[in-house]
Amino acid sequence: METLPLSHWTGSDHRPLVIGGPCSAESEAQVLESAARLRGIRIDYFRAGIWKARTRPATFEGIGDAALPWLQRAGQQYGMRTATEVATPAHVEAALRHGVNLLWIGARTTVNPFSVQEIADALRGVDTPILVKNPTSPDMGLWIGALERIHRAGVRSLGVIHRGFSVAGTRRLRNAPLWELAIEMRRLHPALPIITDPSHITGRRDMVLEISQRAMDLGLDGLMIEAHPNPDQAWSDAAQQVTPERLGEILALLKVRQATSSDASYLASLEVLRDRIDHLDHDLLEVLSRRMRVVEEIAEYKRANNVATLQVSRWSALLEDRLAQAVELGLAQEYARAIYEVIHRESVRRQSEVMNEETAGAANETLDT
Ligand code: PEP
Ligand code: MN
């Protein structure tokens, strides 16, 4: 997928790209005050939600078209580019008529290919930058499919917003970040800008800095952070919005990592460290392969003695022992647990395969004769 670099949209290649502003436009005064207080902070786009896709009805669903002139005025008055979310072709047309400089597709829209296609059709011939938020569910296919639809419509100033995913269970964060999906997106489309949205990931303002820093540590390209002149009184997403001044502090506190360095001694040392990782990974895979040979021997032995593959008490004892060893070796317990669950699942699968080889062989013999 051929796309243009961020510097093409913003005219400079500083990192991170920052999109800041209130979750929703609530009144002309609130929009103008947000913009006025953000003016002194280096943000690239001033955001405000005009149409709000709310999960539940009878909550504030955005001012709608009437708020577009406010956004336009804020942009003109304070010299800022503007950005908003669109969910229908009518939104696209209205936003473009009011000179909105960047549009994004929200998480609840990315999940629906019909809606995305309608938006893509409305974007034909438009060169406004478009960002596609990840779908609410952790589904790479849906996310990439949405990007492809927009790309096929001819949009080249294209990027994504990583805003976390809905997963079952109670959590510390509003949306699980599942960084591995953002990393997978980078692997599949290395040139595609990735903007992280710590406001919607966390759902709480006290963790916005931590998640923003994490995005910078991963070398991601930008941040979308909700900022409101009076966060506690916000009509939507009150708990996660920060004041414009706090947004300034957050940006100042961030340690922005360079994507790479051309310093020769840095590169040489990195090469040595990467070489060590490569060798360790080879050893790791060799040990796993040797372990699997033993698993197969056990399976053959069980088969000869007609014993079931899964011995729950052995598994519980093994897991407990390995977790203790892992912790002693300085590894996080949850990390070790996740690894052992995968190892165990594959061992059980392989043992069943071995146990059934004889039966499958016998069945084949019957068929063969
Ligand atoms: C928003 O940006 O205000 C928003 C509704 O985000 P999301 O689509 O990520 O829920
Ligand atoms: Mn919001």
Side-chain angles (χ1 to χ4, degrees), residues 21-24 26 30 47 52 54 59-60 174 198-200 202-208 225-244 246:
C23 177
S24 305
E26 299 165 4
Q30 173 255 7
R47 67 156 279 162
K52 301 301 297 180
R54 304 306 298 282
T59 47
F60 171 60
R174 178 178 177 186
S199 305
H200 290 91
T202 60
R204 43 189 283 186
R205 65 179 71 100
D206 64 334
M207 290 188 67
V208 167
I225 299 182
E226 288 186 340
H228 188 287
N230 190 355
D232 284 330
Q233 303 305 316
W235 297 2
S236 57
D237 291 349
Q240 71 197 29
Q241 301 205 59
V242 296
T243 60
R246 176 64 188 155

Side-chain angles (χ1 to χ4, degrees), residues 6-309:
L6 269 187
S7 54
H8 182 87
W9 320 354
T10 60
S12 88
D13 55 8
H14 66 247
R15 290 181 54 245
L17 172 105
V18 180
I19 303 170
C23 177
S24 305
E26 299 165 4
S27 66
E28 179 164 21
Q30 173 255 7
V31 171
L32 291 176
E33 187 184 348
S34 304
R37 285 167 57 184
L38 283 166
R39 183 179 36 170
I41 295 162
R42 192 198 57 72
I43 65 166
D44 300 280
Y45 290 91
F46 173 63
R47 67 156 279 162
I50 305 289
W51 306 277
K52 301 301 297 180
R54 304 306 298 282
T55 303
R56 308 283 301 272
T59 47
F60 171 60
E61 295 192 308
I63 298 285
D65 293 43
L68 282 167
W70 308 342
L71 188 56
Q72 188 164 27
R73 199 156 308 139
Q76 285 165 352
Q77 209 155 311
Y78 299 106
M80 291 194 283
R81 297 188 192 88
T82 54
T84 200
E85 174 179 337
V86 290
T88 67
H91 295 167
V92 171
E93 281 147 28
L96 293 179
R97 248 187 289 120
H98 288 84
V100 178
N101 303 101
L102 177 148
L103 306 176
W104 78 85
I105 297 178
R108 289 164 197 77
T109 305
T110 308
V111 293
N112 185 339
F114 289 127
S115 299
V116 174
Q117 189 57 53
E118 284 180 4
I119 295 171
D121 293 341
L123 287 172
R124 236 166 248 290
V126 168
D127 61 6
T128 303
I130 308 296
L131 300 176
V132 179
K133 279 199 169 194
N134 65 254
T136 47
S137 54
D139 184 330
M140 265 327 263
L142 268 180
W143 198 4
I144 290 171
L147 276 169
E148 287 170 346
R149 287 178 196 278
I150 305 297
H151 187 261
R152 278 173 176 226
V155 172
R156 292 296 174 267
S157 296
L158 186 59
V160 296
I161 302 175
H162 163 236
R163 49 75 81 195
F165 301 86
S166 304
V167 295
T170 48
R171 305 166 310 273
R172 201 161 64 112
L173 299 175
R174 178 178 177 186
N175 290 302
L178 307 184
W179 296 100
E180 61 276 20
L181 274 83
I183 294 167
E184 177 64 359
M185 184 59 90
R186 169 109 317 158
R187 190 182 70 79
L188 294 170
H189 296 292
L192 196 69
I194 303 181
I195 315 298
T196 295
D197 176 344
S199 305
H200 290 91
I201 288 177
T202 60
R204 43 189 283 186
R205 65 179 71 100
D206 64 334
M207 290 188 67
V208 167
L209 173 60
E210 185 183 326
I211 295 294
S212 303
Q213 185 58 56
R214 189 74 204 281
M216 293 301 97
D217 294 347
L218 287 171
L220 302 182
D221 308 277
L223 297 167
M224 176 188 263
I225 299 182
E226 288 186 340
H228 188 287
N230 190 355
D232 284 330
Q233 303 305 316
W235 297 2
S236 57
D237 291 349
Q240 71 197 29
Q241 301 205 59
V242 296
T243 60
E245 294 71 29
R246 176 64 188 155
L247 174 56
E249 281 168 24
I250 290 172
L251 296 177
L253 287 167
L254 278 183
K255 293 183 208 55
V256 180
R257 321 287 182 197
Q258 290 169 263
T260 184
S261 163
S262 51
D263 180 82
S265 77
Y266 159 82
L267 289 175
S269 308
L270 188 66
E271 229 15 77
V272 170
L273 291 169
R274 285 182 170 164
D275 192 55
R276 270 165 62 189
I277 290 280
D278 292 348
H279 281 93
L280 286 167
D281 277 348
H282 179 79
D283 293 351
L284 197 60
L285 290 167
E286 212 170 56
V287 169
L288 284 172
S289 164
R290 288 198 342 247
R291 189 186 194 281
M292 194 57 87
R293 297 291 87 77
V294 178
V295 166
E296 287 163 3
E297 258 183 67
I298 294 179
E300 279 159 19
Y301 192 60
K302 282 182 182 167
R303 184 179 63 195
N305 290 281
N306 204 24
V307 173
T309 41

